[in-house]
Amino acid sequence: MTIRGVLFDFSGTLLRIEPTADWLRVGLTRVGVRLPEDELRRLAAALEGVGALPGGSEPTVVPPELRELWEARDVDARGHRRLYVTLARQVPLPGAPEVYDVLYDRHMEPAAWRPYPDARPVLAELAARGVPVAVVSNIGWDLRPVFREHGMLDLVSAFALSYEHGVKKPDPPLFALACDALGVAPEQALMVGDNATADGGATALGCAVHLVRHLPVGDRPDDLRPVLELVGA
């Protein structure tokens, strides 16, 4: 069946969060702390180990007292903040105590996200062809400002964000919401993402799925290009 609408994951598919060391450097600078590069990278590695950066590495181990928050992190905005601030606090950081909240706030800023090189060109081409696009994301905050700042908001017809609907991927209802918003049947939709489990959940509705590699922005210049061929098929 002809593809009439495309659903895209956000993090790791269209854009990627900045490296942990850059994220930490910004946060520490904002509370008046500057560290030697080797110390900053040591702390960044520790933060990666505990999964403190949303959109970055997952925790090596989720502390038992945080497991409930971890499971519900993408359907509750307040819980999302509480979880990631608590995870970060496992790593002692210099400076004011509010550095952990500063870091959490930083990860929601458009400047903290870097588009993959082919993201905007592919979205623009789909728009030129009259193919509507929805972003389907497991997330605890509104990412529309990120798309606006990077010049892609007008290329997205709808957003299906887990925290706004109380349901997350791979559960079918979030994909169904996106298809309904685009006015296409699931069998006419293509889901594009980087996670076979979460994004692959769209197949339960009958959507086709195309997976891209979860790589740094500079290492993945054209994984989204095949979408244009799939839509044209």
Side-chain angles (χ1 to χ4, degrees):
M1 184 175 287
T2 303
I3 298 298
R4 301 191 181 279
V6 183
L7 317 180
F8 285 94
D9 170 52
F10 166 57
S11 176
T13 298
L14 291 174
L15 298 96
R16 181 159 172 148
I17 192 67
E18 64 189 341
T20 310
D22 292 351
W23 170 66
L24 177 59
R25 185 180 294 108
V26 171
L28 290 176
T29 299
R30 288 180 179 175
V31 296
V33 174
R34 294 185 181 276
L35 295 176
E37 191 65 17
D38 58 346
E39 176 63 7
L40 184 138
R41 293 194 174 278
R42 183 189 70 78
L43 290 173
L47 288 166
E48 285 185 5
V50 300
L53 175 57
S57 302
E58 293 193 353
T60 304
V61 176
V62 177
E65 67 274 14
L66 295 180
R67 284 176 188 160
E68 186 174 347
L69 273 178
W70 176 259
E71 291 301 320
R73 67 192 183 280
D74 293 321
V75 295
D76 176 10
R78 290 183 180 179
H80 192 274
R81 172 182 281 273
R82 180 182 166 198
L83 169 71
Y84 282 102
V85 169
T86 304
L87 288 171
R89 282 178 175 152
Q90 295 178 92
V91 179
L93 296 177
E98 61 265 25
V99 65
Y100 300 100
D101 282 297
V102 169
L103 285 170
Y104 182 86
D105 291 339
R106 166 62 182 177
H107 104 275
M108 295 186 291
E109 294 177 4
W113 291 89
R114 301 174 183 182
Y116 283 94
D118 52 352
R120 194 180 189 287
V122 167
L123 292 181
E125 177 60 25
L126 290 172
R129 295 185 189 183
V131 179
V133 163
V135 172
V136 186
S137 179
N138 286 349
I139 198 159
W141 49 277
D142 184 7
L143 49 76
R144 293 172 184 86
V146 174
F147 280 80
R148 181 181 297 110
E149 183 69 21
H150 289 288
M152 295 188 285
L153 185 62
D154 291 345
L155 303 175
V156 178
S157 299
F159 288 84
L161 309 182
S162 59
Y163 85 100
E164 292 183 337
H165 299 286
V167 63
K168 62 183 180 178
K169 301 180 291 186
D171 295 339
L174 198 61
F175 303 108
L177 284 163
C179 290
D180 289 346
L182 297 185
V184 301
E187 296 83 4
Q188 299 173 317
L190 172 68
M191 177 67 208
V192 183
D194 67 318
N195 187 298
T197 299
D199 301 311
T203 59
L205 288 177
C207 301
V209 172
H210 173 70
L211 295 176
V212 296
R213 296 170 294 169
H214 187 84
L215 292 173
V217 168
D219 295 341
R220 210 201 74 193
D222 54 13
D223 274 27
L224 295 170
R225 293 286 180 181
V227 171
L228 299 177
E229 298 176 12
L230 293 169
V231 170

